[in-house]
Amino acid sequence: QVQLVESGGGLVQAGGSLRLSCIASGVIFRINDMGWYRQAPGKQREMVAIITSGGTAHYADSVKGRFTISRDDAENTVFLQLDSLKPEDTSVYYCNARVLTYARTEYPLWGQGTQVTVSS
């Protein structure tokens, strides 16, 4: 069974930094797009950053220039570097991966989420 496990969340002051990690484990042929989403209380889940299998990154306008997504395909891991954090970045951050099985079927997978809290 394939699963995603996130780590790296926590409490930080405004202007600080955090680094989130998400590792996929299980029987995987390949992981296509990987990304990070976030959901604050009372709000819908929103895309933060996505990185394609070719390494192209896309960011939400609200985090451009502050967050950086990267991946290590050898370790089936995706990272999110969060710099210049603002209180409005406070959310639960979820990792997402589009997993391709040996049967050549693709499905989306979500992690359990990691809390990021930015104090003012």
Side-chain angles (χ1 to χ4, degrees):
Q1 182 177 357
V2 181
Q3 61 177 352
L4 299 178
V5 178
E6 300 119 332
S7 61
L11 173 63
V12 65
Q13 288 188 331
S17 297
L18 285 172
R19 182 175 173 85
L20 307 183
S21 300
C22 171
I23 185 166
S25 62
V27 179
I28 300 169
F29 175 69
R30 189 177 70 224
I31 298 178
N32 291 328
D33 293 357
M34 303 184 81
W36 291 92
Y37 293 70
R38 66 186 181 186
Q39 186 168 20
K43 294 188 177 181
Q44 289 189 331
R45 189 171 297 188
E46 61 177 359
M47 187 274 289
V48 176
I50 293 173
I51 185 165
T52 68
S53 57
T56 300
H58 304 274
Y59 298 93
D61 288 343
S62 59
V63 306
K64 281 181 182 177
R66 300 188 299 121
F67 292 5
T68 304
I69 190 170
S70 60
R71 61 189 290 168
D72 182 341
D73 290 330
E75 300 293 334
N76 287 333
T77 302
V78 63
F79 305 96
L80 187 67
Q81 178 68 37
L82 297 74
D83 296 318
S84 303
L85 280 161
K86 304 176 181 180
E88 52 263 43
D89 294 318
T90 296
S91 282
V92 177
Y93 284 70
Y94 296 90
C95 174
N96 173 268
R98 300 198 65 83
V99 177
L100 186 66
T101 70
Y102 280 93
R104 301 301 191 270
T105 58
E106 185 186 80
Y107 63 93
L109 193 63
W110 290 93
Q112 81 285 357
T114 185
Q115 177 71 45
V116 171
T117 302
V118 185
S119 63
S120 58

